[in-house]
Amino acid sequence: MLRNIPIRRKVMLMMMSVSGTVLLLTCLAFIAYEYHEFRSHSVRNISTLGKLIANNSTAALAFDNADDAREVLAALKAEPNITHAALYGVDGKLFARYPEAAGLQGYPANIAEDGYQFADGALTQWLTVMQDNNHRLGKLYLRADQRGLYTELRNYSLIAIMMTGVALVIAYFLARFLQSQISRPLTALLNTTTAVGQHHDYSLRAEKIGNDEFGQLTEGLNSMLMRIQHQAREVTESNEVVRAIIETASEGIITIDEHGLVEAFNATASRIFGYTLEEVRGKNVKLLMPPQYATNHDEYISSYLRTGEKKVIGIGREVTGKRKDGSTFPMDLAIVEVQLHGRRKFSGFVRDVTQRKEWEAGLQAQMNRLALLNRITRATAERQDLQSIFQVVVRSLEQDLPLDFACICLYDSIAQELTVTSVGVNSGSLAMELAMTEQAHIAIDKNGLSRCVLGYLVYEQDVSLISFPFPQRLAAGGLRSLVAAPLLAESKVFGVLIAARRAVNGFTAGESEFLRQLSEHVALAAHNAQIYRALQQAYEDLRQSQQTILQQERLSALGQIASGVAHDINNAISPVALYTESLLQYEPNLSDRARKYLETIQRAIEDVAQTVTRMREFYRTREPRLDLVQIDLNVIAQQVIDLTRVRWRDVPQESGVVIELQTSFEASLPKVMGAEHEIRDALTNLIFNAVDAMPKGGTLSVTTRVINRQEQNVQDAFVLLEVSDTGVGMDEKTRKRCLEPFFTTKGERGTGLGLAMVYGMVKRHSAELHIESSPGRGTLFRLSFPTAVLSIQDGVRHVQAARPARPLSLLVIDDDPIIIESLTEVLRRDGHQVIAANGGAAGIEMFNNAQRDGGHFDVVITDLGMPYVDGRAVAAAIKGVAPATPVLLLTGWGQRLLAENDIPPHVDRVLNKPPKLEELRRVLAALANSVSTPASHD
């Protein structure tokens, strides 16, 4: 309804509507507020009166004095709004009322709950009358008249209506005056736009009235008219430029109507088709098409005009065009619909792509050659031998380039000739005819080959025109064109790639360049193959070195653990060694059996001590120094068999398992140089492993024999010690790792050290270890020892052990009570006075007490590893008090200290645990008899 009325009326209507709505809402809010406040005031007033009357009525109700109650209610005369008041007793009966003259119909017959209620133009209240806030005396009823409220509300409403009417009248006159400030600028803008629209005169400008939004709108309209004026001028100029561009465009532009008649034809189209605009204007565009395409063109245009299925008929379509001379050519065609003055027209954009097609053909050929190069490169990269690489190259060239003849030759710079290495499969028969089969030799004459071996690509367009032998040989086989590409590695020619065709000038520049690039790839692949072979050899050498280093690292790890274990074992066996040696020397009444047992125990203790000593060799980088003697492996083997009899016979038989022993000891076996205890330990480990490998029984074989072997043109004899079993055997992976420390297949039952110690013994004896094993067929360990070459008399040279010339006063310090007891008892049996101290602190205290009392000790014997005060501190303390007193360090780490030359200061001699009595006596005699001589170590 408002859409079509003038804007001035719209403005007045909006102003009147807004003003009236605001005034009406204000009056309504004011009336609502007054209504709410009046009712709230009435409630507060009646509540106050009620509480006052109720408090004053408690005595009258308590004493049942109706007169006093009426007097209290009579006080309500001061409140004209109170029309009725009454007091009711506890029983609900009317006790007193106000006013007295009013009839009973104005008072409720029944009492109600406490509270307020607006009803019938009055406010009523019920209030309980209480005595001391806990004794109910009755009820108070009050009724207040509210008709004054409604009278005031009606007055307020009349005033609001009157004020609203007056305000609307004033607003009307104001709006009528002010709306012209809006309508006048809009009218001016409307007049300007109407004039511009009718006359298309963009030079007109609207009058600006004021600087408000309408003024800004006026400025915007004027600015827009100015821009349109400039744009119109630019469009005119642009049309002229477009026409110039169309005439000079690189594409031919043809405009036709909906009937296919040519309307426009630019200069480029004239050059492409050979027609001028005058020759084609008004003629059908089919004039520019070969006849076979004209029908399809008519059908396509007709279908589009009928259905309008798309705006762009063709973009970038490649079609065939026809020139004025009748020749055809490929062209790109794009047809676009143009709506011009309500008429359908079509613009065709034509580009002659004859040259591009030629480029595309050349590019496709180049892409094919690159793909071939890529395939050959990938194929050669997968091969690592020269013959295979060359064969892949010549076969690929024959099939994909293609070639009539292809071969690769290696160049001998000294002999100045080529050797045919690989010939293509399809070139085989021609190679026979040309005498260029594999391994054939081609002399380098003064033709293209001489330049090729200097690193240049050679292309001969017609070899029949060259009089040198090699070109003539090719010409005799029907080949006319030749490409020879050098194979260079590190700027040195090592071969030539020969490609030939039967046609004269049979290779394009692109193919020649391809063969040159291919020769570089082939040379690189051949060079990489040579490097690969060298790397394989280097890798194999590195792998062997890594295995050796890994073996040493594992042995080192074992040695670091064994260092601490060795000390504890030496301490543990020291008392046994001392007691055993003492019994053998001082007990004349021993039976032969007891003496044999003690000698076996002594030999076992010596083996244990030597084993502990060898444990440190796992982490020593230098070869151990062994005291080698001539030994008979037959005797050693029999001793080990007897010592291990319980393990290979008795223990299995308890479980019903039978292990059969087979021995074969060669008579008159040559002796070998070795450490008896080490070989005995190694053989024991091998027998234990063989028993563990036969949980269900089997055959254990121990064999010795002699073999002769040629070593560097010298005939040497070797003694073989073989231990074999018929047990579960080992697979190849386990066999390779079985000598590694801590590697075991026995689970928690094994430590993985047995075979590692066997391997260490073999290395220290310059022997060889060979292992043969397969799953289910058992295992054979073959130890090969060189025969003894030193001339040493059989037997052991005994040297009478020196003893001290007199009994000595000795101080023995150790933290192990068993070692103290055994060492003290043995020394006392030799006649020495021995005082023992448990620990370093107690030993220092005893020594100081003896010095203070005038006594002395001839020699102090102390352990190294003790809690709180170790052997180093003991030696330093004793030398600080009595520098001349010899200090003998008796420790389980003695062998390591001696080997590493790590003798603690203030120590005169070092002995390893367990000590031998003869060695201990000799050291004590040397210390007692030559106190002042320089320190030495045993």
Side-chain angles (χ1 to χ4, degrees), residues 141 228 250 277 539 587 590 635 735 743 802 815 852 874 903:
Y141 170 75
I228 293 175
S250 61
L277 176 59
Y539 172 76
E587 293 294 334
L590 289 175
V635 175
R735 187 189 69 80
F743 176 79
D815 61 333
R852 186 173 55 254
V874 170
I903 309 302

Side-chain angles (χ1 to χ4, degrees), residues 705 722-725 729-732 735 738 769-775 777-782:
R705 56 192 176 95
E722 297 178 341
V723 178
S724 62
D725 62 72
M730 296 182 290
D731 57 21
E732 184 63 18
R735 187 189 69 80
C738 66
L769 175 61
H770 179 71
I771 304 173
E772 296 178 4
S773 183
S774 60
R777 297 186 178 182
T779 303
L780 167 66
F781 286 89
R782 179 180 297 117

Side-chain angles (χ1 to χ4, degrees), residues 122-151:
L123 173 61
T124 60
Q125 178 189 25
W126 285 96
L127 183 62
T128 302
V129 180
M130 303 291 294
Q131 184 180 16
D132 298 332
N133 295 328
N134 57 5
H135 181 61
R136 185 171 175 271
L137 297 177
K139 282 277 189 175
L140 171 64
Y141 170 75
L142 294 176
R143 179 184 176 90
D145 188 8
Q146 297 293 305
R147 284 175 294 181
L149 168 65
Y150 300 109
T151 301

Side-chain angles (χ1 to χ4, degrees), residues 444-622:
I444 304 297
D445 47 27
K446 294 182 180 180
N447 58 8
L449 290 181
S450 61
R451 295 185 67 250
C452 186
V453 296
L454 294 177
Y456 298 99
L457 178 73
V458 174
Y459 174 38
E460 300 291 351
Q461 298 180 358
D462 189 354
V463 297
S464 64
L465 302 178
I466 304 174
S467 59
F468 292 103
F470 179 67
Q472 290 300 314
R473 182 191 301 185
L474 296 180
L479 301 174
R480 301 296 295 274
S481 55
L482 165 71
V483 174
L487 305 180
L488 293 96
E490 297 179 352
S491 303
K492 182 179 180 181
V493 176
F494 69 90
V496 175
L497 169 63
I498 296 177
R501 284 176 175 164
R502 297 183 184 275
V504 177
N505 196 17
F507 293 91
T508 65
E511 289 175 332
S512 299
E513 177 63 19
F514 165 75
L515 291 173
R516 185 191 66 78
Q517 294 178 359
L518 176 62
S519 66
E520 293 178 357
H521 286 263
V522 174
L524 180 61
H527 186 58
N528 288 341
Q530 296 173 348
I531 295 176
Y532 176 77
R533 289 197 299 270
L535 287 176
Q536 272 190 322
Q537 183 61 40
Y539 172 76
E540 184 63 24
D541 297 341
L542 178 61
R543 189 180 65 83
Q544 295 292 339
S545 301
Q546 287 177 335
Q547 289 183 348
T548 303
I549 294 173
L550 181 62
Q551 186 75 10
Q552 293 297 329
E553 289 294 333
R554 288 171 176 166
L555 292 176
S556 177
L558 173 63
Q560 293 178 14
I561 298 174
S563 177
V565 176
H567 175 266
D568 296 338
I569 294 177
N570 285 333
N571 280 343
I573 64 176
S574 292
V576 181
L578 290 171
Y579 282 136
T580 301
E581 192 170 0
S582 178
L583 288 173
L584 289 173
Q585 290 188 11
Y586 295 108
E587 293 294 334
N589 298 324
L590 289 175
S591 63
D592 293 340
R593 183 177 183 182
R595 184 171 293 277
K596 180 179 179 181
Y597 285 169
L598 287 175
E599 289 175 350
T600 301
I601 292 172
Q602 186 179 32
R603 186 165 57 248
I605 291 172
E606 291 176 354
D607 289 348
V608 170
Q610 292 296 329
T611 300
V612 171
T613 300
R614 291 198 312 275
M615 290 175 70
R616 68 185 177 87
E617 302 301 336
F618 281 108
Y619 63 94
R620 293 174 61 84
T621 56
R622 63 182 182 274

Side-chain angles (χ1 to χ4, degrees), residues 810-814 823 827 859-863 886-890 920 924:
L810 305 176
L811 174 61
V812 177
I813 304 173
D814 206 301
L823 187 59
L827 292 174
V859 179
V860 175
I861 304 174
T862 180
D863 189 15
V887 177
L888 172 61
L889 188 65
L890 182 62
L920 180 60
L924 288 176

